[in-house]
Amino acid sequence: MAWVSCTNLLSSFRATLASVKGAPVWAPRLLSPYSTFVKSGMKNVNGVHLHYQQTGSGSHAVLLLPGALGSSHTDFGPQLDYLNKEYFTVVAWDPRGYGKSIPPERDFPLDFFSRDAGDAVALMKALSFNKFSMLGWSDGGITALTAAAVYPSVMNKLVVWGANAYVTQEDLQLYNAVRDVSTWSEKMRKPMEKIYGPEYFAKTWLKWVEGISQFALQPDGNICREILPQIVCPTLIIHGQKDPMVPNFHPEFLHKHIKNSRLHLMPEGKHNLHLRFSKDFNKLVEEFLLER
């Protein structure tokens, strides 16, 4: 894979950031004329208070899972705004230690993806959704893959992009290129510092790099590769062919090892393809979710 600059990596990896501080709990957020209100709430799940946003009144429930240090507010604006509210009830969450789900402070034990998967499923059940689909980006995609494998009875359909089931030496190079936030441009660093504060952001980002890198020490770099055959729900894997963070062999591996999956390539897509090409992405996802 051709080397890309640190600036390009950061731009693709954490794009379209905004502050999540100061929004009142359960205060509706008025969106476009073609959308409905988005309400924000907290649920006590597995011993932690998890923040979420919810919109729409459709019979098909969908959970949006953000990437590393991501949140419902920063990672899924176009999906909360424009996914069809008549067909879908859309929920986006902040995993423990991210966004407004603090405390606790975020940590990254070897089972953190399994822990997030359990939290995500428990949150949806607490919201009275017993069967639902998941849309997972990057780390959220790994969490969604894990949830689909471990909790198949609750899964309707699965969509993932920017995700990987194992870590290679090539991946480690990409992670280490963005390890030290002091080397980031101010344009890229300041929005994250506004959300988390400089100290928490720098500390937590470093913990994330160390947390994701620890999988390289596992047999075959395993994160969730051994449980992919347990995924039985219809699965759509989307990959941006210009994604500088996820080499092409990762989505190809997912497609090969997940039964009943399909792989859709976006030639101009990068890591944040659901934001950069949100209209095309939303249309693709809606059509997949509505298929009988």
Side-chain angles (χ1 to χ4, degrees):
M1 176 181 177
W3 183 253
V4 293
S5 71
C6 185
T7 299
N8 288 338
L9 285 170
L10 295 172
S11 297
S12 294
F13 196 57
R14 286 257 59 92
T16 316
L17 297 169
S19 173
V20 298
K21 289 187 176 180
V25 173
W26 291 109
R29 180 164 64 94
L30 183 60
L31 302 175
S32 76
Y34 305 101
S35 300
T36 59
F37 287 101
V38 174
K39 65 181 180 181
S40 298
M42 304 288 291
K43 280 287 184 182
N44 191 335
V45 171
N46 294 337
V48 295
H49 287 88
L50 296 178
H51 174 260
Y52 68 94
Q53 293 183 288
Q54 181 175 331
T55 185
S57 57
S59 60
H60 191 145
V62 178
L63 177 64
L64 310 177
L65 297 91
L69 273 73
S71 68
S72 58
H73 187 93
T74 59
D75 286 13
F76 291 115
Q79 286 68 52
L80 287 167
D81 283 11
Y82 296 116
L83 285 176
N84 190 300
K85 307 305 188 302
E86 294 182 0
Y87 296 141
F88 306 109
T89 297
V90 182
V91 178
W93 77 315
D94 299 354
R96 62 172 70 198
Y98 287 171
K100 293 184 179 179
S101 296
I102 303 173
E105 288 195 3
R106 181 71 183 195
D107 62 353
F108 299 91
L110 192 59
D111 67 345
F112 75 88
F113 285 116
S114 296
R115 183 183 63 187
D116 283 350
D119 286 349
V121 170
L123 172 63
M124 291 300 279
K125 288 185 175 181
L127 294 172
S128 299
F129 300 114
N130 293 318
K131 198 171 184 68
F132 45 87
S133 295
M134 284 188 172
L135 274 63
W137 175 34
S138 196
D139 270 24
I142 302 173
T143 298
L145 290 166
T146 303
V150 177
Y151 307 98
S153 65
V154 304
M155 295 298 297
N156 190 346
K157 293 187 178 183
L158 175 65
V159 182
V160 297
W161 64 104
N164 50 298
Y166 58 95
V167 173
T168 69
Q169 291 301 309
E170 182 174 346
D171 297 316
L172 288 180
Q173 285 186 323
L174 298 173
Y175 304 147
N176 285 323
V178 295
R179 181 186 187 93
D180 183 0
V181 300
S182 69
T183 65
W184 293 23
S185 68
E186 183 173 347
K187 179 181 178 181
M188 294 306 304
R189 189 178 66 251
K190 286 298 183 183
M192 297 298 281
E193 291 179 342
K194 188 175 182 181
I195 295 170
Y196 292 110
E199 182 180 353
Y200 185 86
F201 167 55
K203 176 178 65 176
T204 307
W205 183 262
L206 178 59
K207 288 196 295 184
W208 174 80
V209 173
E210 294 172 346
I212 194 69
S213 298
Q214 68 185 318
F215 293 103
L217 302 176
Q218 300 301 304
D220 298 318
N222 178 58
I223 303 176
C224 63
R225 60 186 293 163
E226 86 287 359
I227 60 175
L228 295 180
Q230 297 172 211
I231 299 175
V232 295
C233 65
T235 300
L236 174 62
I237 303 154
I238 306 173
H239 181 62
Q241 292 183 282
K242 294 185 178 181
D243 188 339
M245 292 299 300
V246 180
N248 292 334
F249 55 78
H250 282 305
E252 292 169 358
F253 183 89
L254 296 177
H255 181 42
K256 180 179 179 180
H257 290 88
I258 300 175
K259 299 183 293 288
N260 199 22
S261 69
R262 68 183 72 168
L263 175 59
H264 180 89
L265 301 177
M266 297 182 68
E268 298 301 314
K270 296 184 180 180
H271 198 62
N272 63 335
L273 57 84
H274 67 299
L275 301 174
R276 177 64 179 83
F277 300 103
S278 60
K279 186 175 181 179
D280 292 339
F281 175 88
N282 287 358
K283 182 175 184 293
L284 175 67
V285 167
E286 286 182 351
E287 290 175 351
F288 172 71
L289 294 179
L290 292 172
E291 284 179 3
R292 298 286 183 182

